[in-house]
Amino acid sequence: MAINFSLIIPEMLVAGLALLVMIISLLVPKDQKRGLAYFTVFGLIGVLVVLYFMLDAQGTLFNGMYIVDPFGSFMKILIVLSSIMAIMLGVEYVEKFITGFLGEFCFFVVFATLGMITLVSAGDFITLYVALELMTISFIILVGFGKHIFRASEAAIKYLLLSALSSGVLLYGLTLVYGAAKTTSINGVMEYIAQGETAPILVLGIIFMISGFGFKISAVPFHMWTPDVYEGAPTPVTALLSVASKGAAFGVLFRVFMHALPGNQELWMPIIIVLTVLTIVLGNFVAIPQKNIKRMLAFSGVAQAGYILLGLIAFSTVGVSAALFYAMIYVFCNMGAFGVIIAFSQAGGGDEVQDYNGLWKRSPFLAAVMLASLLSLAGIPPLAGFFGKFQLFKAIMEQGYVWIVFVALGMSMVSVYYYLLVAKAMYFKDPHEDSPIKVSLPIQVTLLAITLITLFLGIYPTPLTNLATQVAKTFF
Amino acid sequence: MSFPILSSILLAPVLGILLILFIPQKEDKLIKIVAAIATGLTVLLSLIIYANYDQSIGGLQFVENIPWIDDLGVTYGLGVDGISLPLVLLTALVIFTGVFASWGLEKRVKEFFIFLLALVAGVFGVFLTTDLFFFYLFFEIAVIPMYILIGVWGSTNKEYSAMKLTIYLLVGSAFALIAVIAVYLYTGLGTFDIQTLTQQTYDIGFQKFAFFLLMIGFGFLVPMWPFHTWSPDGHVAAPTAVSMLHAGVLMKLGGYGLIRAGIFIFPEGARFWAPVIGILCIVNVVYGAMVAMSQKDLKFVIGYSSVSHMGYVLLGVASLNTLSISGAVAQMFAHGIMTALFFALVGNVYNKAHTRMIADFGGLAHQMPRIAAGFVIAGLASLGLPGLVNFVAEFAIFVGSFRVYPVLTILAISGIVITAVYVLRVVQNVFFGPRNPKWDELEDVRGIELVPIVILCGVLLFLGFFPSFLMELINNGVDPFVQQYLTTPKVGGMF
């Protein structure tokens, strides 16, 4: 059987880039790795362009083990975009705090990217698991970067142990589903379920799968690792972890549940609904008392995962398109917020919310970017997050879940409270020291682009909604 | 397409923001001048619209429609009619005078005007838009700048008040949002266009549900008792220009939304819930006035008087006939001008004396005759003296509502008596009486500080003597809707 290799050009490019970066990094002297980082960025931008032109491509490879479709390509764009931003924002941070490891940082990010983009295209449980592990292992290394940083090592160990556990649970779930369906391919499982048989073993398998994926997207009650790892990991890694790894996990979650398991949604939908509501409520409430801004963003990320899950509950084109829109917006908002944290800590600032006191005076630019990013996360217009939430609410209300809209909207108001606490520190308080913060050019450019995109998509979301709607049709 | 004059009103403050962004921090004067020009432009444009609005045709005019989000059927639609035009004019007047009221500001001038103009752009948007989605969007745009404006430049308990105000307003808007999505899904037309939605028929159960959500949602903004507590706190804490805008305009968003999105789209739902609004608004009127009477801080007096006066607006809305609703719109306009004037005056006093406690003052009319004169005019407007525009508005409301709720109307009129008590008490204790040598240092307002006082007093008096300039326009906007959707006014009511 002829294999259409043109469909996996992006994956091949990323794999080639990873190896290339690894080799070049050995040849370049330790103090001149910055060029390498920008080379990686350009390489990834190339991949992004290829992906953009491949958005309409559709097909399967290797007997259905690998699926290329608009949905996958959309998620890949999201992932590659996050990696580009993480490297752009992280270069100087890594140079300063993890001196001498910039090359390694770059190629591990690319490896993680490879894992993530393969994950969202997985058409078979084997591919799925391999890709998931490639992503997870790369992330474990990235989290533990800087072996002299005690916190990072702690975070890495925690992430390693809990990832191993969750992978085990997921794997167990997959084998149980395999046991029932006698196939590992997603299409096969769909056909099996379409026959209408429901073996208890299958139900158990689905529950295990939910908890396995729940860990990756940090849904309550599988979120416990999130704050500790986010806090301990180097901030650029946290940023990447919070958007790309979550995005990839959402990609595969949507694919498995919408593609393979729609036949018995009455079975798993209640579980998802309970998890979603718990995630939104707990994430938002626990974020309130957080004093550390990275922990606060971790819990806010937990809550945001709940909002994206609403798209799955809606189980419609509108729902998926809203979730895709929101996931993409979430990348920009979160990257914006973490970008400010990176720039701030480079200037010697701490990670406590109160360290941000009077940021408007020290750097009006950083304060404005942080404010815009947080308000977008809170869903305040004219920023993009508002429209994302609006669509999600509309999508689930269409399915008649009015009570979930009430809960989600109410919690969204709660989130405004803790996001505004940061705004309060930045704008109302006087700074501890007056020295202005100098923001380096790459960070400035990235943050400016992020903010403008957030603002633009908030005022005129049509380009992205049209794209997301088109992509969402993959499933229906 | 003709010149997009409404978009220009919306964009004038935005343009101001962009210009100010590029002016260096220390050029205070220039920043203020840019803000004054940007807001002056909005006054000019709204006056042009007022002059060119063709009352013989009525309905929405100066309409602009640009498809915005195809997927959702959202249209960037602007248009004004007899209901929104007075409120656009009000917004323009209040913000223009508000800029002059903040002329003396020295702290972080650049940011202040950026946030102030952002706030006002949102408010204009709410009154100008004809699309329910944009209505909600513009409202939310107005909330966050308010938070920062109060938190940074405010006084008295500012951080608490700022947070309280923001959360209350957002919770209110959340209720409205659910109603907005519900009506969108219910019609299934894929449009948020308010006019189209108004022409649809809805079954009675849905009307009750949706109107209830809107009543609570906009009730938070009006503010309707018992959701009012954010408003006096917010008024007191806010800096002068923000108090003016907040009490003068922002509270009107609730009344406007209730009329435009509430009773016109869901007349049956409105009829069902009107008695509830009727009773709550009496609590507003009487309770607000009573609380205002016992306040020691001048700004709190005005803050609670706003709660009380907005009760009249709600009474007009609840009575559901042409006269009362026209009165409600007129009252929103009149109250907006009057409170803005009050806050401008109190702001001036506070800037000079650094206190707002009534007990500290006495005989200020000797030192500050112009402020005293302004305060007396505002006070008389507040107690509904004929010759000032508030009288016209309140009179219309009472005549309209008496037919529907005679008992409630009598109770509401008693509110005027209480208002007279506290207003006159404040005027007497602060401005009259023997000269207090402690305040001899104070200078009266002069020069540019006089601009807001003169303009606002002028509007109160002019429209008081020639109310037809305002009332005919409003009637023109309200009547067609009432004729069409509320043709059989429910006479009698609960009492």
Side-chain angles (χ1 to χ4, degrees):
Chain A
M1 190 183 114
I3 295 168
N4 184 2
F5 277 106
S6 67
L7 287 174
I8 50 167
I9 288 175
E11 286 79 356
M12 293 195 289
L13 282 178
V14 173
L17 183 70
L19 297 173
L20 198 63
V21 171
M22 189 153 86
I23 293 165
I24 298 177
S25 132
L26 294 173
L27 305 174
V28 180
K30 275 218 163 188
D31 50 340
Q32 288 171 11
K33 295 262 169 77
R34 192 178 276 215
L36 184 67
Y38 295 128
F39 170 75
T40 317
V41 168
F42 278 116
L44 287 174
I45 289 177
V47 176
L48 200 61
V49 173
V50 174
L51 278 172
Y52 181 77
F53 285 109
M54 276 185 55
L55 256 176
D56 293 330
Q58 194 133 22
T60 55
L61 295 112
F62 314 119
N63 298 325
M65 285 187 92
Y66 203 74
I67 303 174
V68 176
D69 58 4
F71 173 78
S73 302
F74 185 91
M75 294 314 285
K76 286 175 197 168
I77 289 180
L78 184 151
I79 291 160
V80 174
L81 212 53
S82 332
S83 304
I84 292 172
M85 289 191 277
I87 297 179
M88 283 292 275
L89 294 169
V91 172
E92 282 156 58
Y93 183 95
V94 175
E95 272 186 346
K96 182 163 181 185
F97 293 109
I98 317 169
T99 320
F101 286 98
L102 188 57
E104 286 78 356
F105 172 76
C106 289
F107 70 69
F108 276 118
V109 168
V110 182
F111 271 123
T113 310
L114 180 62
M116 292 185 282
I117 62 178
T118 317
L119 185 59
V120 294
S121 264
D124 188 286
F125 290 155
I126 310 279
T127 327
L128 189 158
Y129 187 72
V130 171
L132 191 80
E133 285 309 287
L134 176 56
M135 160 183 130
T136 309
I137 292 170
S138 308
F139 267 118
I140 293 171
I141 298 170
L142 282 169
V143 168
F145 242 122
K147 52 188 179 210
H148 52 284
I149 305 174
F150 175 70
R151 273 249 171 94
S153 312
E154 186 199 325
I157 296 288
K158 208 170 249 175
Y159 191 53
L160 171 68
L161 291 175
L162 289 171
S163 291
L165 183 66
S166 87
S167 295
V169 170
L170 178 66
L171 201 53
Y172 194 41
L174 296 180
T175 52
L176 288 177
V177 174
Y178 168 73
K182 319 239 173 352
T183 170
T184 55
S185 102
I186 288 180
N187 267 326
V189 173
M190 180 187 76
E191 280 158 18
Y192 167 74
I193 287 173
Q195 293 163 10
E197 291 172 55
T198 309
I201 202 177
L202 182 75
V203 180
L204 203 60
I206 291 174
I207 293 174
F208 278 145
M209 271 161 65
I210 291 178
S211 47
F213 291 134
F215 175 84
K216 290 286 176 229
I217 60 170
S218 60
V220 174
F222 315 109
H223 68 289
M224 298 308 286
W225 61 280
T226 328
D228 295 335
V229 173
Y230 278 26
E231 189 189 355
T235 315
V237 177
T238 310
L240 189 63
L241 195 61
S242 75
V243 293
S245 121
K246 202 177 270 186
F250 265 114
V252 67
L253 178 76
F254 272 62
R255 188 182 293 286
V256 169
F257 282 83
M258 301 222 124
H259 198 102
L261 307 173
N264 51 3
Q265 34 157 321
E266 72 286 344
L267 219 103
W268 50 264
M269 195 55 99
I271 307 177
I272 296 278
I273 290 177
V274 171
L275 284 190
T276 306
V277 171
L278 274 180
T279 305
I280 293 177
V281 172
L282 200 113
N284 276 320
F285 271 121
V286 181
I288 293 177
Q290 302 304 323
K291 297 270 184 288
N292 182 299
I293 196 160
K294 279 162 91 177
R295 288 185 82 88
M296 190 207 85
L297 281 174
F299 280 108
S300 112
V302 170
Q304 303 290 351
Y307 285 105
I308 300 178
L309 274 177
L310 292 177
L312 180 60
I313 295 180
F315 212 84
S316 60
T317 320
V318 184
V320 177
S321 120
L324 289 175
F325 184 92
Y326 199 76
M328 189 62 100
I329 294 305
Y330 174 70
V331 168
F332 289 108
C333 315
N334 241 24
M335 275 291 173
F338 278 114
V340 174
I341 298 176
I342 291 171
F344 187 68
S345 54
Q346 257 165 251
D351 284 341
E352 302 298 306
V353 172
Q354 56 167 350
D355 294 330
Y356 285 76
N357 282 0
L359 186 63
W360 65 273
K361 204 172 196 174
R362 302 184 62 194
S363 170
F365 174 70
L366 287 183
V369 172
M370 184 63 123
L371 183 69
S373 303
L374 292 182
L375 290 181
S376 182
L377 284 175
I380 305 281
L383 299 153
F386 161 72
F387 189 70
K389 278 192 180 162
F390 184 88
Q391 278 211 310
L392 283 168
F393 294 156
K394 185 189 137 243
I396 52 168
M397 207 143 141
E398 230 164 10
Q399 306 300 318
Y401 297 111
V402 181
W403 67 273
I404 302 183
V405 180
F406 272 98
V407 174
L409 248 178
M411 288 305 119
S412 184
M413 300 303 129
V414 171
S415 77
V416 174
Y417 177 75
Y418 61 80
Y419 291 129
L420 281 185
L421 288 183
V422 180
K424 183 164 139 184
M426 291 190 307
Y427 280 92
F428 298 2
K429 302 281 169 48
D430 283 319
H432 302 306
E433 49 176 323
D434 273 351
S435 61
I437 295 175
K438 234 183 106 36
V439 186
S440 67
L441 192 67
I443 294 189
Q444 229 169 24
V445 170
T446 317
L447 289 182
L448 193 65
I450 287 172
T451 313
L452 288 182
I453 290 173
T454 315
L455 194 62
F456 174 76
L457 287 178
I459 295 172
Y460 191 67
T462 312
L464 187 53
T465 44
N466 285 353
L467 182 63
T469 310
Q470 231 178 356
V471 168
K473 290 193 181 123
T474 310
F475 293 120
F476 298 95
Chain B
M1 206 167 99
S2 57
F3 179 67
I5 191 163
L6 296 183
S7 288
S8 313
I9 294 189
L10 190 59
L11 290 178
V14 178
L15 191 69
I17 294 176
L18 291 179
L19 285 176
I20 290 175
L21 271 177
F22 292 102
I23 300 175
Q25 186 96 39
K26 37 185 200 298
E27 301 276 350
D28 282 9
K29 200 84 186 177
L30 190 60
I31 290 171
K32 286 169 187 165
I33 291 172
V34 169
I37 292 174
T39 53
L41 209 58
T42 63
V43 177
L44 195 68
L45 290 170
S46 1
L47 285 174
I48 292 175
I49 291 175
Y50 175 78
N52 287 324
Y53 182 86
D54 191 342
Q55 293 201 18
S56 58
I57 301 173
L60 287 174
Q61 294 184 18
F62 306 99
V63 177
E64 295 167 27
N65 272 317
I66 303 172
W68 203 252
I69 306 168
D70 329 333
D71 230 28
L72 216 56
V74 174
T75 319
Y76 169 78
L78 300 182
V80 286
D81 65 0
I83 304 172
S84 51
L85 184 48
L87 296 169
V88 172
L89 200 57
L90 168 74
T91 313
L93 281 171
V94 170
I95 183 63
F96 180 62
T97 51
V99 169
F100 285 101
S102 346
W103 210 259
L105 186 89
E106 278 158 10
K107 180 185 175 195
R108 294 163 75 178
V109 175
K110 181 172 169 177
E111 290 160 293
F112 179 83
F113 283 101
I114 288 176
F115 285 119
L116 190 67
L117 291 177
L119 163 60
V120 84
V123 177
F124 272 125
V126 175
F127 291 135
L128 289 173
T129 187
T130 55
D131 188 280
L132 215 47
F133 178 86
F134 269 100
F135 182 91
Y136 179 82
L137 185 124
F138 280 125
F139 170 72
E140 291 238 315
I141 289 178
V143 175
I144 296 297
M146 183 87 78
Y147 172 73
I148 293 177
L149 283 165
I150 295 178
V152 177
W153 292 273
S155 54
T156 323
N157 221 351
K158 58 186 181 182
E159 287 175 14
Y160 163 80
S161 311
M163 187 63 92
K164 185 170 176 181
L165 175 140
T166 311
I167 300 288
Y168 266 71
L169 289 183
L170 289 179
V171 168
S173 69
F175 278 98
L177 178 63
I178 294 175
V180 168
I181 300 179
V183 65
Y184 174 82
L185 294 175
Y186 181 92
T187 61
L189 294 173
T191 178
F192 286 99
D193 183 54
I194 297 179
Q195 244 183 341
T196 315
L197 294 176
T198 308
Q199 285 153 3
Q200 305 306 312
T201 46
Y202 305 87
D203 77 55
I204 184 80
F206 179 76
Q207 289 209 25
K208 285 179 189 168
F209 166 74
F211 189 84
F212 175 74
L213 290 177
L214 289 175
M215 179 177 81
I216 302 287
F218 292 125
F220 268 96
L221 315 186
V222 169
M224 182 165 70
W225 189 88
F227 311 120
H228 69 285
T229 60
W230 61 272
S231 108
D233 283 336
H235 289 154
V236 173
T240 305
V242 179
S243 297
M244 289 168 70
L245 205 62
H246 175 217
V249 184
L250 203 84
M251 289 159 86
K252 277 70 192 171
L253 300 183
Y256 176 73
L258 208 51
I259 294 173
R260 172 75 15 118
I263 53 184
F264 288 162
I265 299 185
F266 308 114
E268 293 307 316
R271 210 160 279 158
F272 180 79
W273 290 106
V276 177
I277 301 182
I279 292 168
L280 291 180
C281 80
I282 296 305
V283 181
N284 260 50
V285 171
V286 178
Y287 167 85
M290 297 278 215
V291 178
M293 198 152 61
S294 64
Q295 294 303 316
K296 297 187 175 67
D297 183 325
L298 265 179
K299 259 191 160 178
F300 265 117
V301 175
I302 302 164
Y304 277 104
S305 92
S306 289
V307 173
S308 164
H309 279 99
M310 288 310 282
Y312 298 132
V313 174
L314 287 174
L315 181 64
V317 169
S319 305
L320 298 176
N321 55 52
T322 308
L323 197 56
S324 72
I325 295 176
S326 299
V329 177
Q331 169 75 354
M332 289 199 273
F333 181 87
H335 175 256
I337 298 284
M338 177 199 86
T339 345
L341 177 58
F342 262 135
F343 280 117
L345 293 162
V346 174
N348 266 316
V349 173
Y350 181 69
N351 282 344
K352 292 166 201 286
H354 304 290
T355 174
R356 291 187 304 245
M357 290 300 148
I358 297 170
D360 293 347
F361 294 112
L364 267 191
H366 295 284
Q367 290 94 348
M368 303 175 138
R370 292 178 191 144
I371 285 193
F375 207 94
V376 170
I377 293 177
L380 294 178
S382 168
L383 54 82
L385 191 80
L388 294 157
V389 62
N390 299 56
F391 165 75
V392 184
E394 281 166 24
F395 189 74
I397 292 175
F398 293 142
V399 173
S401 68
F402 191 76
R403 280 184 255 159
V404 190
Y405 307 113
V407 178
L408 292 181
T409 308
I410 292 169
L411 282 173
I413 293 174
S414 80
I416 290 200
V417 180
I418 313 176
T419 308
V421 173
Y422 70 78
V423 167
L424 294 177
R425 187 183 67 103
V426 167
V427 170
Q428 187 187 18
N429 289 348
V430 174
F431 293 100
F432 296 138
R435 187 186 182 98
N436 186 344
K438 182 176 159 199
W439 302 117
D440 275 351
E441 304 293 308
L442 298 190
E443 283 180 22
D444 201 0
V445 285
R446 59 194 163 88
I448 219 147
E449 293 167 330
L450 267 174
V451 173
I453 301 173
V454 170
I455 293 180
L456 295 172
C457 282
V459 174
L460 281 182
L461 286 165
F462 177 78
L463 289 176
F465 283 108
F466 306 104
S468 61
F469 281 96
L470 181 65
M471 293 306 283
E472 272 179 16
L473 176 66
I474 295 174
N475 243 315
N476 191 281
V478 174
D479 199 46
F481 283 107
V482 176
Q483 294 305 333
Q484 200 171 346
Y485 303 112
L486 296 163
T487 32
T488 47
K490 191 171 129 190
V491 182
M494 274 177 74
F495 291 87

